[in-house]
Amino acid sequence: MGKKVAIFRKEHFNSAHRLFNADWDDEKNMEVFGKCALPNYHGHNYELIVKIIGEPDEKTGYVMDLKKLSDLVKEKIIERFDHKNLNLDTVEFKNLNPTAENIVVVIYELLRPHISKEKDLQIRLYETPRNFVEYPV
Amino acid sequence: MVYLTRIEHFNAAHKLYNPNWSKEKNDEVFGKCANENWHGHNFELFVTIKGDPDPETGFIFDAKKLGGLINEKVIEKLDHRNLNIDVDFMKGKLCSIENLVMGIWQELEPQLPPPVQLHCLKLVETAKIFVEYYGGK
């Protein structure tokens, strides 16, 4: 059994969103989501931390080439969400409330097929410097 | 003379878009910031006042009161809003941080009780981009 190491890559994207449930009226949405439900959207600087756990390769010493990981995150996540309206511009949140919780799960699902099976993947997403989520736990 | 800075924050959506130009011209000049469905940021506002400490309180101005004033006069109007649509003092202006910081100055400066003077506003849009404004032309 080799020694497992975690590697991390930080990326960021800036997006607009609003939180609301289409099955509820405006009053109920404001009651549950407060100012996050305001109709003209607001936005965040999202900070994304991608964590990969595995044993360093004997030949390269890498768990995974961080440049390749960076390119992968940019291609699969950043290009999809950066300077977009999560509610209006993305297929992922057409029918899914873009809470930090739902966004972090979506990001995991988008990346998982592109990371080799023997490595573990965990995502941390900062919506603000004070609010952040992790998946899986 | 002593300088005191209070930091507040707000989350908002905006886009950079000149309505007098075609969509192509806006895309050419503003790039992805012109996305018609908005994007957003976690903005940080640094408000620096200057003055001499009051001999009885030791304060230039009560920092908690300064925080309350910034929140009441500025943050309430900006937080979880769309800067292009929802903010009265940005109506008819291009929503760059340069124009936003000047707009905030005009809102805040008249609210400070003499002899307290507003010295500088620093508005941080992302970890890499911020503006400073010292009043005047």
Side-chain angles (χ1 to χ4, degrees):
Chain A
M1 192 59 184
K3 285 178 178 161
K4 281 191 172 178
V5 177
I7 64 164
F8 301 82
R9 177 76 198 180
K10 281 169 77 171
E11 299 288 343
H12 56 91
F13 56 96
N14 309 321
S15 310
H17 79 158
R18 70 181 287 219
L19 302 183
F20 84 120
N21 183 329
D23 296 332
W24 296 342
D25 61 20
D26 289 351
E27 199 178 333
K28 172 84 172 171
N29 271 296
M30 283 305 286
E31 184 191 322
V32 174
F33 297 117
K35 58 190 176 181
C36 297
L38 284 170
N40 291 330
Y41 308 95
H42 63 280
H44 299 289
N45 301 339
Y46 289 94
E47 286 265 340
L48 173 63
I49 299 177
V50 177
K51 177 183 184 182
I52 292 177
I53 303 164
E55 293 174 17
D57 181 273
E58 283 181 13
K59 294 193 179 72
T60 63
Y62 285 163
V63 172
M64 182 177 173
D65 185 325
L66 277 163
K67 176 72 174 77
K68 286 184 182 160
L69 178 59
S70 166
D71 291 343
L72 181 71
V73 174
K74 285 194 176 104
E75 183 195 334
K76 301 294 176 191
I77 309 298
I78 307 303
E79 283 182 20
R80 196 180 299 257
F81 297 142
D82 187 37
H83 284 69
K84 299 289 169 64
N85 183 310
L86 298 178
N87 304 77
L88 300 179
D89 298 330
T90 73
V91 293
E92 290 78 12
F93 299 103
K94 278 276 180 282
N95 298 303
L96 181 67
N97 203 19
T99 60
E101 291 89 329
N102 282 336
I103 300 169
V104 79
V105 174
V106 163
I107 291 173
Y108 176 87
E109 301 290 347
L110 286 168
L111 287 178
R112 184 66 265 191
H114 304 284
I115 309 282
S116 65
K117 286 191 178 67
E118 63 271 20
K119 297 184 178 88
D120 290 326
L121 171 66
Q122 189 182 38
I123 310 293
R124 176 180 283 198
L125 180 70
Y126 285 83
E127 187 173 75
T128 73
R130 295 156 292 278
N131 295 341
F132 59 98
V133 293
E134 268 187 344
Y135 180 79
V137 288
Chain B
M1 185 78 78
V2 180
Y3 297 75
L4 172 86
T5 300
R6 173 94 191 180
I7 306 170
E8 299 291 341
H9 58 89
F10 57 97
N11 309 321
H14 80 155
K15 68 177 171 185
L16 301 184
Y17 200 87
N18 185 330
N20 298 322
W21 292 346
S22 66
K23 185 177 182 319
E24 290 71 28
K25 172 87 172 173
N26 272 289
D27 287 344
E28 185 191 324
V29 175
F30 297 120
K32 59 190 179 180
C33 298
N35 178 35
E36 59 184 341
N37 289 330
W38 329 102
H39 63 282
H41 300 286
N42 303 329
F43 290 93
E44 278 197 302
L45 178 64
F46 291 65
V47 176
T48 303
I49 58 170
K50 61 184 174 185
D52 294 316
D54 182 283
E56 287 177 11
T57 63
F59 291 158
I60 302 169
F61 184 49
D62 186 323
K64 190 163 184 340
K65 284 186 187 159
L66 178 60
L69 202 57
I70 300 165
N71 272 286
E72 183 192 337
K73 302 298 177 188
V74 177
I75 305 298
E76 286 278 321
K77 291 185 175 182
L78 300 171
D79 188 36
H80 284 71
R81 306 293 163 149
N82 185 310
L83 301 178
N84 299 73
I85 299 175
D86 298 325
V87 180
D88 56 0
F89 65 83
M90 291 305 288
K91 283 272 187 293
K93 294 181 189 170
L94 296 174
C95 255
S96 64
I97 47 170
E98 292 90 329
N99 283 340
L100 183 57
V101 79
M102 293 170 79
I104 293 171
W105 183 287
Q106 285 171 1
E107 292 297 301
L108 198 56
E109 198 271 337
Q111 304 294 336
L112 293 170
V116 178
Q117 285 179 273
L118 187 55
H119 172 66
C120 176
L121 292 180
K122 173 174 150 182
L123 181 62
V124 181
E125 186 175 68
T126 72
K128 294 179 186 171
I129 300 173
F130 64 90
V131 291
E132 289 176 324
Y133 184 56
Y134 295 84
K137 294 283 180 191

Coordinates of all heavy atoms in Angstrom, one line a residue, chain A residues 39-41, chain B residues 13-15 38 81-88 90-91 95:
Chain A
P39 N -35.9 39.3 -8.1 CA -36.1 38.9 -9.4 C -35.0 39.2 -10.4 O -34.8 38.5 -11.4 CB -37.4 39.5 -9.8 CG -37.6 40.7 -8.9 CD -36.9 40.3 -7.6
N40 N -34.3 40.3 -10.2 CA -33.3 40.7 -11.2 C -31.9 40.2 -11.0 O -30.9 40.7 -11.5 CB -33.2 42.3 -11.2 CG -34.5 42.9 -11.8 OD1 -35.2 42.2 -12.6 ND2 -34.9 44.0 -11.3
Y41 N -31.8 39.1 -10.1 CA -30.5 38.4 -9.9 C -29.5 39.2 -9.1 O -29.7 40.4 -8.9 CB -29.9 38.0 -11.3 CG -30.9 37.2 -12.2 CD1 -31.6 37.9 -13.1 CD2 -31.1 35.9 -12.0 CE1 -32.5 37.2 -13.9 CE2 -32.0 35.2 -12.7 CZ -32.7 35.9 -13.7 OH -33.7 35.2 -14.5
Chain B
A13 N -25.4 41.6 -9.2 CA -25.2 41.2 -10.6 C -25.0 42.5 -11.4 O -25.5 43.6 -11.0 CB -26.5 40.5 -11.1
H14 N -24.4 42.4 -12.5 CA -24.3 43.5 -13.4 C -23.8 43.0 -14.8 O -23.5 41.9 -15.0 CB -23.3 44.6 -12.9 CG -21.8 44.4 -13.1 ND1 -20.9 45.4 -13.2 CD2 -21.1 43.2 -13.2 CE1 -19.7 44.9 -13.3 NE2 -19.8 43.6 -13.4
K15 N -23.8 43.9 -15.8 CA -23.2 43.7 -17.0 C -22.6 45.0 -17.5 O -23.0 46.1 -17.1 CB -24.1 43.1 -18.1 CG -25.2 44.0 -18.5 CD -26.0 43.3 -19.6 CE -27.3 44.2 -20.0 NZ -28.2 43.5 -20.9
W38 N -26.4 39.0 -17.6 CA -25.7 39.4 -16.4 C -24.6 38.4 -15.9 O -24.7 37.2 -16.3 CB -26.6 39.7 -15.2 CG -28.0 40.2 -15.7 CD1 -29.1 39.5 -15.7 CD2 -28.3 41.5 -16.1 NE1 -30.2 40.3 -16.2 CE2 -29.7 41.5 -16.4 CE3 -27.6 42.7 -16.3 CZ2 -30.3 42.7 -16.9 CZ3 -28.2 43.8 -16.8 CH2 -29.6 43.8 -17.1
R81 N -28.7 42.9 -5.5 CA -29.4 43.7 -6.5 C -28.7 43.5 -7.8 O -27.6 43.1 -7.9 CB -29.5 45.2 -6.2 CG -30.0 45.5 -4.8 CD -31.5 45.2 -4.7 NE -31.8 45.1 -3.3 CZ -33.0 45.4 -2.8 NH1 -34.0 45.8 -3.7 NH2 -33.3 45.4 -1.6
N82 N -29.4 44.0 -8.9 CA -28.9 44.1 -10.2 C -28.5 45.5 -10.4 O -29.3 46.4 -10.4 CB -29.9 43.7 -11.2 CG -29.3 43.6 -12.6 OD1 -28.7 44.6 -13.1 ND2 -29.5 42.6 -13.3
L83 N -27.2 45.8 -10.5 CA -26.7 47.2 -10.5 C -27.2 48.0 -11.7 O -27.5 49.2 -11.6 CB -25.1 47.2 -10.5 CG -24.4 46.5 -9.4 CD1 -22.9 46.5 -9.6 CD2 -24.8 47.1 -8.0
N84 N -27.4 47.3 -12.8 CA -28.0 48.0 -14.0 C -29.4 48.4 -13.9 O -29.9 49.4 -14.4 CB -27.8 47.2 -15.3 CG -26.4 46.8 -15.6 OD1 -25.8 46.0 -14.9 ND2 -25.8 47.4 -16.6
I85 N -30.2 47.5 -13.2 CA -31.7 47.7 -13.1 C -32.2 48.3 -11.8 O -33.1 49.2 -11.8 CB -32.3 46.3 -13.3 CG1 -32.0 45.7 -14.7 CG2 -33.9 46.5 -13.2 CD1 -32.5 44.3 -14.9
D86 N -31.6 47.9 -10.7 CA -32.3 48.1 -9.4 C -31.8 49.4 -8.6 O -32.4 49.7 -7.6 CB -32.1 46.9 -8.5 CG -32.7 45.6 -9.0 OD1 -33.8 45.7 -9.6 OD2 -32.1 44.6 -8.8
V87 N -30.7 50.0 -9.1 CA -30.0 50.9 -8.2 C -30.2 52.4 -8.8 O -29.8 52.7 -9.9 CB -28.5 50.7 -8.2 CG1 -27.8 51.7 -7.3 CG2 -28.2 49.2 -7.6
D88 N -30.9 53.2 -8.0 CA -31.4 54.5 -8.5 C -30.2 55.4 -8.9 O -30.2 56.0 -9.9 CB -32.2 55.2 -7.4 CG -31.6 55.4 -6.0 OD1 -30.4 54.9 -5.9 OD2 -32.2 55.9 -5.1
M90 N -27.4 54.6 -10.1 CA -26.7 54.1 -11.3 C -27.5 54.2 -12.6 O -27.0 53.8 -13.7 CB -26.2 52.7 -11.1 CG -25.1 52.5 -10.0 SD -23.6 53.6 -10.3 CE -22.9 52.7 -11.8
K91 N -28.7 54.7 -12.5 CA -29.6 54.8 -13.6 C -29.0 55.6 -14.7 O -28.5 56.7 -14.5 CB -30.9 55.4 -13.3 CG -31.9 54.5 -12.5 CD -32.8 53.8 -13.5 CE -33.9 53.0 -12.7 NZ -33.4 51.9 -11.9
C95 N -22.2 50.5 -16.0 CA -22.0 49.9 -14.7 C -20.6 49.3 -14.5 O -20.4 48.2 -14.0 CB -23.0 48.7 -14.5 SG -24.3 49.2 -13.4

